Amino acid sequence: MTISLLPKCFAMLKGNRQGDMLDLPSLPLDKEIPRYVFERRGAISLGLPTSPKPRKNICGGGPRLSRRGGVSVDVEDVEAKYLRLLGDTEPPTRKTSTITQFTVKTSLKDLRRMQSTESDMTDPGVYAGRFKRKMSAPTVTRHRQCNDGLVEWSQLNRIGFWDFDTLSIARITKGRCLFYIGFQLLIKHDLFEEFSLDVMSVLKFLNLLEQHYEPENPFHNATHAADVAQALHCLLSNLRSIDSFEPKELLASILAALAHDVNHPGVNQNFLIKTASHLMKINGNTSLLEQHHSKVAKSLIKESGIISHLSLTDQDEVLQIVEDLIMATDMAQHQKYVNNMKALMVSGYDSQNPEHRRVVLRLAMKCSDLCNTARPWSTCVQWGKLVLEEFWRQGDEEKKMMFDVTNMFDRDQCVPSKALTGFIDYIAEPLFTLWADFCDTSFTRDICRLIDNNRSHWEEVITLPV
């Protein structure tokens, strides 16, 4: 059948001849694919579900299962193939963080200096304790000169305090605060011991996560993700019913907070829709950013193998909670989650009901995502400058494309006092008040007072401080 078609094909090609050249389309497969595309971190080697041996890599050399970042999955696993679907168009380059102005390096150097003997790696509990002593003990007095003075490494010891300054940690760790804070939070909740987490898989996950945040974003970067995770830790730790949450829920909550904005493009959903972004074509125009973050997060969780030793049922449950909590950060669906929490408070909260606990976790995630408005003023004003700068950069691009630009995204028209006090009045203050009504603790009431204080400060701001 195929042979009989060949004469017709040659006849068609002969008819399209222009001079001595054939008028053939230039297809992607007509070009040689660079080797780095297949060897890059995150590339996935696909194998048949029923085959005992994975399929060979199409560029030769056999399957790449032993290389760093490699993962072999079934062809039906859509989530694990998500990053591969996006692909690389350029060789990986080293980038510089907007906040730290330091080159962000990802290597095993930091990991090796935290371990003194190879035997420690066999026991996650022992290694976790060693990490905690080395990174957060008050005896560690090493300092770095920062814009706002000397900051101690021992600040990590205050990870459970609401006035914890993630921006300072980002400076003293050269932009790697997500790595250190993420590891500390897993220790704080005893998750290494609870799930027998493999230390190297955890480190691999945190490294991959950092690499997939865009350091050039002023606000939606790894520092913001670490800040949200630390805030979630504080909010959940001060719940009277914290012990009612299952360890799987706490693990998934920390993973979701760390990954909730992973691979954020630095623009909002409306911009992606107006520019017909590839993300819109893949995820549609409903919660497209949150869908993207969720898929990337689950891909990295699978690629790192951080929960691969758990049962399939437990893995599915953790991934489902991660997706659920990341989707809850969609501001377009803000009122829906607020109304669900109000309904729960009216009907009565049952800590033994999994769905009730999920509603609480969603609201805690939403509060954590907006925690910058509730931090002490010295920290709040820094986050305010960063979020406005990201908005204004989008506005600059919209002007170049001749799009209509809203006042908040126009650096020439935006009034910081109006923009940020309006956000507090309509979003942040009602949200944290609802959380405080549910928790009914002095800790949550203090947070509400901080928000009121920050609002008063923003009213007096005419131009952003340098």
Side-chain angles (χ1 to χ4, degrees), residues 304-323:
S304 67
I306 187 173
I307 60 172
S308 60
H309 62 291
L310 304 182
S311 67
L312 292 179
T313 301
D314 287 345
Q315 289 184 49
D316 290 341
E317 186 175 350
V318 169
L319 291 173
Q320 200 278 325
I321 296 174
V322 168
E323 177 181 1

Side-chain angles (χ1 to χ4, degrees), residues 59-90:
C59 67
R64 299 190 176 272
L65 301 183
S66 59
R67 64 179 175 78
R68 179 177 67 84
V71 58
S72 180
V73 298
D74 293 342
V75 291
E76 290 86 356
D77 195 337
V78 178
E79 292 162 355
K81 293 189 293 183
Y82 186 73
L83 289 180
R84 195 72 183 94
L85 173 66
L86 297 180
D88 281 348
T89 56
E90 299 289 342

